[in-house]
């Protein structure tokens, strides 16, 4: 039952397959991974200090997100779930925009068209249908762009996701389905979700599925780049299963110690996505120590920025709830908006 698992960089930092990344690109991946982890750890700490209502940690999944996020072209579009903080970073979003959502001070977050990055989907799997619809639209308009939608292993049990697979196959939509298989759908382990590799499901819908070491940023980038190129050239959808592990809780309201063997996390810590790239760079890049020091300083500045911004996020104007929904606001909603405005 074996689809092969693509890997370029092993957990011990040894290259097990050829790659064509430049030294500058390898450094760029290292910088992204470090800064993405800092965004996540800073937001987690802010939530624990009562500054955020909730946070969905991505610890351990950075390579899956950075590798795929950096494969995107400017005109590609992303439909994320609620955990793709590193992909948002790759699309140019200030992480403060993410904090505003989880602090409850934003009624939307950002303009998706500006960043090619939709607002997070909280309903599990719903974004996969949105992505396919967008992709079909690209085809009808004759555009050669692609769409990526992110979801976890649990979403593959949702009807929406399977309907999205069917529609994407039927219309040959330019969509890359990117599943971060982190082994748990909240508390439900992978073996309760599927008896075959997730990527293998794609064959039943009529398009290819591939598996990749989700903690190997180089392999993830290569696999995603190939799937995106295929989509843009009219080759249709691909399902990527990035095999990774959720090192922390599902969200900050979750306690994984109630349903997980702690030794699992210890084993996966040895496959840390940052560590393996660091080992490679320490061995092959003579100037890495100096560069790494610069990245650490940048991470400290980013952490300070997030702490300062979070405490100063303004409360939203509730009247903004009525904006950006209708092209022409119906009279009854105009009346409701004016009533809300009268409260202030």
């Amino acid at each position: 039952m074996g689809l092969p698992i693509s890997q370029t960089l092993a957990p011990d930092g040894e290259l097990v397959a050829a790659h064509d990344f430049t030294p500058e690109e390898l450094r760029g991946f290292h910088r992204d991974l470090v800064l993405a982890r800092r965004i996540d750890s800073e937001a987690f700490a802010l939530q624990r200090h009562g500054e955020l209502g909730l946070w969905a940690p991505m610890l351990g999944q950075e390579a899956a997100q950075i590798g795929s996020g950096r494969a995107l072209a400017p005109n590609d579009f992303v439909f994320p779930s609620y955990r793709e903080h590193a992909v948002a970073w790759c699309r140019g979003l200030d992480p403060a925009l993410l904090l505003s959502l989880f602090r409850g001070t934003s009624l939307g977050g950002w303009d998706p068209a500006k960043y090619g990055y939709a607002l997070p989907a909280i309903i599990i799997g719903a974004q996969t249908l949105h992505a396919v619809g967008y992709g079909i639209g690209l085809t009808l308009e004759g555009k050669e762009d692609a769409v990526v939608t992110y979801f976890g292993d649990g979403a593959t049990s949702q009807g929406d996701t399977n309907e999205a697979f069917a529609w994407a196959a039927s219309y040959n939509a330019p969509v890359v389905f990117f599943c971060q298989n982190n082994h748990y759908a909240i508390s439900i382990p992978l073996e309760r979700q599927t008896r075959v590799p997730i990527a293998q499901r794609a064959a039943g819908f009529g398009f290819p599925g591939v598996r990749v070491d989700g903690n190997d940023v180089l392999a993830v980038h290569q696999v995603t780049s190939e799937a995106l190129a295929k989509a843009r050239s009219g080759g249709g959808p691909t399902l990527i299963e990035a095999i990774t592990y959720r090192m922390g809780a599902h969200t900050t309201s979750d306690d994984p110690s109630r349903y997980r063997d702690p030794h699992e996390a210890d084993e996966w810590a040895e496959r840390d996505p940052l560590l393996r790239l660091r080992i490679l760079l320490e061995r092959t890049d003579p100037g890495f120590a100096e560069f790494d020091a610069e990245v650490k300083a940048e991470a400290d500045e980013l952490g300070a920025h997030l702490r300062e911004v979070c405490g100063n996020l303004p409360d939203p104007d509730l009247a903004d709830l009525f904006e950006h929904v209708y092209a022409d606001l119906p009279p009854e909603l105009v009346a409701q908006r004016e009533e809300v405005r009268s409260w202030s």
Side-chain angles (χ1 to χ4, degrees):
M1 242 181 322
L3 288 172
I5 300 174
S6 297
Q7 187 182 71
T8 301
L9 185 61
D12 61 2
E14 292 293 329
L15 290 168
V16 294
H19 72 83
D20 57 4
F21 297 108
T22 66
E24 290 74 22
E25 287 172 329
L26 293 177
R27 285 188 172 192
F29 285 137
H30 172 73
R31 174 181 176 271
D32 282 333
L33 291 170
V34 170
L35 296 181
R37 181 163 291 185
R38 185 56 177 266
I39 292 167
D40 189 53
S41 63
E42 204 69 50
F44 184 91
L46 286 167
Q47 195 283 329
R48 286 298 189 243
H49 282 83
E51 298 294 337
L52 300 179
L54 189 75
W55 183 252
M58 65 173 179
L59 181 64
Q61 300 180 217
E62 298 92 347
Q65 297 188 21
I66 293 296
S68 58
R70 287 304 182 197
L72 292 159
N75 289 334
D76 293 335
F77 205 93
V78 176
F79 287 88
S81 73
Y82 43 76
R83 201 184 305 277
E84 280 70 53
H85 316 310
V87 182
W89 169 260
C90 291
R91 299 305 278 173
L93 273 78
D94 185 333
L97 293 172
L98 301 175
L99 298 186
S100 69
L101 289 179
F102 287 94
R103 188 175 170 87
T105 60
S106 170
L107 301 175
W110 52 84
D111 177 2
K114 179 179 178 181
Y115 299 100
Y117 189 84
L119 300 178
I122 305 302
I123 300 173
I124 305 300
Q127 71 276 17
T128 58
L129 284 171
H130 305 160
V132 173
Y134 189 96
I136 293 173
L138 290 176
T139 301
L140 292 174
E141 293 177 357
K143 295 182 178 178
E144 297 181 352
D145 303 318
V147 189
V148 178
T149 181
Y150 290 86
F151 51 94
D153 46 286
T156 63
S157 295
Q158 293 289 333
D160 282 358
T161 303
N162 288 274
E163 290 172 14
F165 290 166
W167 277 80
S170 296
Y171 286 87
N172 203 44
V175 178
V176 176
F177 295 100
F178 196 97
C179 175
Q180 292 178 84
N181 175 4
N182 67 17
H183 287 78
Y184 284 90
I186 308 182
S187 61
I188 303 300
L190 178 65
E191 56 265 25
R192 294 292 298 276
Q193 300 290 337
T194 180
R195 293 298 181 184
V196 300
I198 288 172
Q200 191 169 315
R201 291 185 172 190
F205 292 93
F207 60 92
V210 296
R211 306 183 84 197
V212 63
D213 181 347
N215 286 12
D216 177 357
V217 68
L218 307 185
V220 171
H221 188 280
Q222 290 172 323
V223 165
T224 309
S225 295
E226 292 168 2
L228 286 167
K230 171 175 163 286
R232 297 186 196 108
S233 63
T238 301
L239 170 59
I240 297 174
E241 177 188 0
I243 302 166
T244 183
Y245 189 78
R246 194 192 76 210
M247 292 296 293
H250 174 71
T251 69
T252 46
S253 65
D254 173 43
D255 178 8
S257 68
R258 298 179 61 186
Y259 55 83
R260 249 176 18 183
D261 183 340
H263 296 299
E264 275 188 11
D266 294 339
E267 294 173 3
W268 277 91
E270 297 176 0
R271 310 178 203 179
D272 183 83
L274 278 70
L275 179 60
R276 66 177 72 184
L277 183 57
R278 175 183 294 277
I279 293 172
L280 174 67
L281 290 170
E282 287 176 342
R283 189 177 69 249
T284 62
D285 186 342
F288 175 69
E290 181 179 354
F291 175 74
D292 188 39
E294 295 172 357
V295 171
K296 289 178 179 177
E298 186 178 2
D300 289 340
E301 293 175 2
L302 178 58
H305 165 67
L306 294 178
R307 292 191 299 273
E308 179 181 3
V309 167
C310 185
N312 293 302
L313 287 170
D315 290 334
D317 181 351
L318 293 182
D320 288 344
L321 283 169
F322 298 90
E323 304 298 331
H324 313 299
V325 178
Y326 290 92
D328 297 305
L329 200 63
E332 63 270 23
L333 291 185
V334 171
Q336 291 178 24
R337 182 187 63 190
E338 295 310 308
E339 180 182 355
V340 169
R341 285 177 173 172
S342 71
W343 297 345
S344 58

